[in-house]
Amino acid sequence: MTAYPRSGSGPADRKQQSILHPRLETPGTVLQVSRLLSPERMHELLGSEGLPSVEVLSQLVPAAPGRHSAQFTARDSGDATVVGVCGLHSLDLNGGHVRAEMHVAAAAGEDHAAAVGALTLNYAFAMFRVRKVYVWTVDPEPRALAHVPVRVQNEGCLREFVVDGGVLRDVTVLTVDREDWERAAGFLDTLAGKR
């Protein structure tokens, strides 16, 4: 078994790694730290169209505040309209991973969806020494990841994992690796630099 220096996460640390900065805004979207929002409150803020049901969110997002590392409301930087809710939870520094939740209002444009995805992923990798970010979703192609230029891997499917109105639904587990994010993160720097 190879022992790696404590400062890094393995062989990739032998290369020069870029420094990621925890950005909270792009020219059109701003993330604001929020209190822990219940699934019911997420539906009030974003509407139910395009979101998993309250029942599904209750099963995927931990209720215990201590399991959350960060939660944000995403707002339009012009008129402050709430366009999304995102956050990080279930951080496991020993395992080197964290779970991300990224929910975008159906009425929000694709630019907001991309910003919510990119800012959430970047915050996770900038703030925590994790190797990967997991996204558990009942939608195998979440809007928040659709326009982010990074490789999103399908790690697998949890068959009939959540109950939704008396019906069992599958949960798709997606991941983004740190190395892939560091290669692609320059697009966020470019976008943020336009402000």
Side-chain angles (χ1 to χ4, degrees):
M1 186 161 137
T2 306
Y4 296 109
R6 292 183 60 108
S7 63
S9 61
D13 293 317
R14 294 180 186 171
K15 297 183 286 181
Q16 176 115 12
Q17 289 187 350
S18 60
I19 295 174
L20 297 174
H21 299 281
R23 301 192 184 283
L24 296 177
E25 64 183 293
T26 64
T29 309
V30 176
L31 298 187
Q32 293 181 330
V33 175
S34 71
R35 291 184 174 154
L36 184 59
L37 300 173
S38 69
E40 293 83 7
R41 184 67 179 130
M42 285 186 211
H43 273 260
E44 286 174 27
L45 284 172
L46 304 177
S48 59
E49 186 179 339
L51 286 186
S53 70
V54 169
E55 186 176 17
V56 168
L57 286 173
S58 296
Q59 295 168 76
L60 294 180
V61 180
R67 299 227 12 235
H68 289 265
S69 301
Q71 190 172 68
F72 304 96
T73 54
R75 295 181 180 272
D76 182 281
S77 60
D79 63 11
T81 304
V82 176
V83 296
V85 173
C86 56
L88 302 167
H89 62 84
S90 305
L91 176 65
D92 182 345
L93 292 175
N94 290 329
H97 56 83
V98 68
R99 277 179 46 192
E101 295 291 329
M102 298 173 272
H103 304 291
V104 182
E110 296 309 308
D111 55 337
H112 287 307
V116 168
L119 291 169
T120 305
L121 291 171
N122 191 70
Y123 191 88
F125 288 121
M127 295 301 292
F128 307 110
R129 198 68 205 148
V130 293
R131 294 177 294 110
K132 62 175 59 178
V133 175
Y134 287 104
V135 178
W136 290 23
T137 176
V138 290
D139 176 5
E141 296 179 9
R143 281 181 67 208
L145 296 177
H147 301 290
V148 177
V150 66
R151 184 171 65 124
V152 177
Q153 300 176 75
N154 185 328
E155 288 275 312
C157 182
L158 304 172
R159 299 274 178 215
E160 301 182 342
F161 191 77
V162 292
V163 178
D164 188 9
V167 176
L168 292 172
R169 293 186 65 185
D170 296 344
V171 170
T172 301
V173 179
L174 305 170
T175 62
V176 175
D177 290 327
R178 173 179 286 279
E179 192 171 305
D180 292 331
W181 180 254
E182 287 178 348
R183 277 196 298 268
F187 90 96
L188 183 57
D189 294 337
T190 302
L191 184 59
K194 291 179 184 175
R195 190 159 180 79

